[in-house]
Amino acid sequence: MSRSGAPTAGEGSPSLSMYELEFICGDTLIEIIPRMQLEKLHLVSGSCGPFRPNVPIRVPLWLALTLKKRGKCTIRAPAWLSVEELQRLVAEERKESKILPVPFHYLEVGSLILSGAAQDLPEAQRVRSLLEDLENIRTAKIKKHIDDELNADKSGMTFGPISAMEMNRVRPQVLQTLAQFETILPHDDDRDN
């Protein structure tokens, strides 16, 4: 943990902190409804605008949250961040044994929007609950998948469509396990001798 109390990845750690992942997903485009008029903004990542009151526009998530904090816009959550779509995703994830595709930064985007613009989300508490359900179901499936891969007679490990946060969470365990395999299994150059 840093002096500010924010969790950090740690020196030499193969994982990123939650805050680092949220920073990375900040360039995800999201739709806002501006409450102000502003000409085009020229950002490092590209240009946005012009902004006109009540005319939807797509901007990076970090900018949407900044404008929201200043009362300059309303955020329109992505379609997948609705109660109906999350209920569908949870139901499908429960029904299927394999890991199903989700938006790559679904946990980070959901967390940032819920913390910075919950009032713009219909049924925000239900959305939060469904996101947690989805995360828990997927975490259990990923753990089972890792166990199945480790118990299979394979020389490598494959993953399905897991998200950035999910990948980040399992990376240390997978790397440690692969390192243990490396010490146990003979290398190709050892077999030649």
Side-chain angles (χ1 to χ4, degrees):
M1 230 188 247
S2 70
R3 279 194 266 192
S4 68
T8 59
E11 193 171 308
S13 171
S15 297
L16 300 171
S17 73
M18 179 184 72
Y19 300 112
E20 290 167 321
L21 285 170
E22 286 178 348
F23 176 80
I24 291 167
C25 88
D27 282 334
T28 302
L29 293 179
I30 191 155
E31 191 169 279
I32 64 167
I33 309 296
R35 293 184 183 141
M36 82 299 192
Q37 184 150 334
L38 185 65
E39 292 310 311
K40 191 175 271 196
L41 292 176
H42 300 285
L43 309 169
V44 172
S45 59
S47 297
C48 297
F51 297 83
R52 301 292 178 249
N54 299 318
V55 178
I57 185 170
R58 292 176 59 82
V59 299
L61 179 57
W62 68 265
L63 180 58
L65 291 168
T66 301
L67 292 172
K68 175 66 182 172
K69 189 183 281 187
R70 294 192 169 124
K72 302 292 184 186
C73 76
T74 301
I75 292 178
R76 276 196 185 162
W80 60 264
L81 198 56
S82 67
V83 168
E84 297 78 22
E85 186 62 16
L86 286 170
Q87 285 174 329
R88 185 189 68 74
L89 288 170
V90 166
E92 284 183 14
E93 204 69 61
R94 281 188 175 129
K95 186 173 67 173
E96 290 289 328
S97 60
K98 65 181 182 176
I99 302 165
L100 300 175
V102 292
F104 189 61
H105 289 290
Y106 84 99
L107 289 169
E108 303 94 294
V109 170
S111 172
L112 286 169
I113 291 176
L114 283 165
S115 64
Q119 63 275 25
D120 292 348
L121 273 177
E123 300 181 72
Q125 277 307 113
R126 182 75 176 123
V127 167
R128 186 182 317 273
S129 175
L130 286 165
L131 265 178
E132 288 174 12
D133 291 348
L134 183 60
E135 177 183 9
N136 292 336
I137 294 165
R138 290 178 60 82
T139 298
K141 287 169 84 170
I142 290 167
K143 286 179 181 177
K144 181 182 180 327
H145 176 77
I146 290 171
D147 289 343
D148 291 348
E149 288 281 311
L150 292 175
N151 292 328
D153 190 19
K154 293 181 174 182
S155 60
M157 187 177 286
T158 60
F159 282 94
I162 66 174
S163 75
M165 184 74 77
E166 293 163 344
M167 189 181 321
N168 193 58
R169 288 180 182 156
V170 300
R171 182 180 290 125
Q173 175 190 357
V174 170
L175 291 176
Q176 180 182 9
T177 303
L178 292 175
Q180 289 172 346
F181 276 133
E182 191 174 274
T183 62
I184 297 169
L185 299 175
H187 294 281
D188 288 337
D189 53 340
D190 291 342
R191 291 183 201 154
D192 294 337
N193 294 334

